[in-house]
Amino acid sequence: MRKLIIGLLCLAGVAVVIDFGAAAYTEYHVSRQLRAGADLSADPEVTIKGFPFIAQAVSGRYDDVLVRARSMRPDIPGEIALEANLYGLHASASELLDGTARAVQVDRVEAQMAIEPTELGRLFGIPDLQVLGPPADKADGTGGSGGSGLTTAGAHVLKGTLPVAANGRVLAPGVTPGNNTTRVEVQVEADLMLDGDKIRIQATRFYKDRSATADTPVSTTKTDILDVDKPAVLERFSRTIDTKELPFGIAPTEVEAKGGQIIVYGVGRSLTIDLDRLLQP
């Protein structure tokens, strides 16, 4: 009986190894297909979840396929992070392995695009830009459509350092600071909105933490000297970013600031996607 149990355990172990090996082999081929189709600089990460994998392959339906990739865009300096969960992907194992999977049915797609702090700093021309949470004196930093056609995540605090000339004027991006230039840390309140396929970040005013108490250290931010050039300051902290659709052509439906990133989400249900097109041409 002991030998029988040991033998069964060994067989189970071998089956698990074979199953994980088959999953890894398929993930590799799907990753290569996605890289070629989207013209990426590196293979995206592909994870086929669920066990056993072989049972999913035989049925032609995969419970959850996670795709993570990084992509370069000419309008955003650096890289953006892309992610998609494909729930209920219908495709034969042969199609996934030989790269012929094109129009495949998916029960649900959850896609997102994240612009990280370094890229945001380059995009705004403010290298030390930080996207903080909602203002401390706001009870709720979230919003809704408000009947305006916009989906809003509410007001957020942006923080960064700007070069200021002796006359109080903010230097334009790309202008070399002179000897009389000082760098001033400034915080602004900005509305984060999703307008169709575009992210709108609109700075509205300088921010001071009105929730501070007598025991809270006073901020060293000197926004008073920037009042002379307030419109230029708010313009530096405002941008419109075209999402250009999310992975597999999913339309964006929600935007939020999280962990210093700006993340756009979208969901699609019962649709056909082209596995050869992680990014739309």
Side-chain angles (χ1 to χ4, degrees):
M1 182 62 69
R2 182 180 301 172
K3 291 181 179 179
L4 177 61
I5 293 174
I6 292 175
L8 291 175
L9 290 175
C10 290
L11 287 175
V14 171
V16 169
V17 171
I18 293 175
D19 193 82
F20 277 97
Y25 187 72
T26 304
E27 290 167 352
Y28 168 76
H29 281 274
V30 174
S31 175
R32 297 292 295 178
Q33 179 181 345
L34 290 172
R35 176 178 180 175
D39 194 23
L40 301 174
S41 60
D43 292 348
E45 175 188 341
V46 177
T47 305
I48 301 177
K49 301 180 181 180
F51 181 83
F53 164 79
I54 293 177
Q56 298 183 73
V58 171
S59 69
R61 183 187 184 279
Y62 303 85
D63 297 334
D64 182 3
V65 180
L66 172 63
V67 179
R68 288 195 179 107
R70 303 188 69 83
S71 174
M72 301 285 291
R73 278 180 39 176
D75 56 328
I76 299 178
E79 294 182 320
I80 57 173
L82 303 171
E83 183 173 314
N85 278 91
L86 311 178
Y87 298 102
L89 170 67
H90 299 264
S92 68
S94 60
E95 289 178 320
L96 296 182
L97 291 176
D98 62 18
T100 60
R102 292 294 184 269
V104 296
Q105 184 70 26
V106 182
D107 297 340
R108 178 183 173 92
V109 179
E110 294 181 358
Q112 71 175 54
M113 178 188 82
I115 308 175
E116 299 173 342
T118 300
E119 282 66 37
L120 285 171
R122 293 172 179 170
L123 183 63
F124 280 75
I126 306 174
D128 61 348
L129 178 71
Q130 298 179 55
V131 182
L132 307 179
D137 57 329
K138 299 285 187 181
D140 183 11
T142 62
S145 64
S148 64
L150 302 177
T151 300
T152 173
H156 287 72
V157 177
L158 305 185
K159 178 181 178 182
T161 304
L162 298 178
V164 181
N167 61 0
R169 298 291 181 181
V170 176
L171 270 64
V175 176
T176 303
N179 295 330
N180 295 326
T181 302
T182 59
R183 299 195 66 84
V184 178
E185 181 185 277
V186 59
Q187 298 183 75
V188 301
E189 286 188 29
D191 292 328
L192 178 60
M193 300 165 285
L194 184 63
D195 185 1
D197 290 343
K198 294 180 173 59
I199 305 167
R200 287 179 51 190
I201 305 167
Q202 184 64 52
T204 56
R205 60 177 178 173
F206 292 139
Y207 172 71
K208 294 181 181 179
D209 189 352
R210 301 168 187 83
S211 67
T213 65
D215 297 328
T216 303
V218 178
S219 172
T220 57
T221 301
K222 301 294 184 182
T223 57
D224 53 336
I225 69 172
L226 297 174
D227 284 336
V228 68
D229 208 11
K230 183 177 179 179
V233 174
L234 296 181
E235 183 179 354
R236 287 291 300 274
F237 283 92
S238 301
R239 283 292 183 280
T240 297
I241 307 169
D242 192 345
T243 64
K244 299 183 183 297
E245 296 186 327
L246 302 184
F248 301 110
I250 301 300
T253 57
E254 181 182 353
V255 62
E256 73 168 344
K258 184 178 181 181
Q261 302 175 327
I262 292 179
I263 307 176
V264 187
Y265 303 94
V267 178
R269 296 176 177 83
S270 299
L271 71 165
T272 300
I273 65 171
D274 186 350
L275 268 189
D276 199 32
R277 293 295 181 188
L278 174 62
L279 298 178
Q280 299 300 298

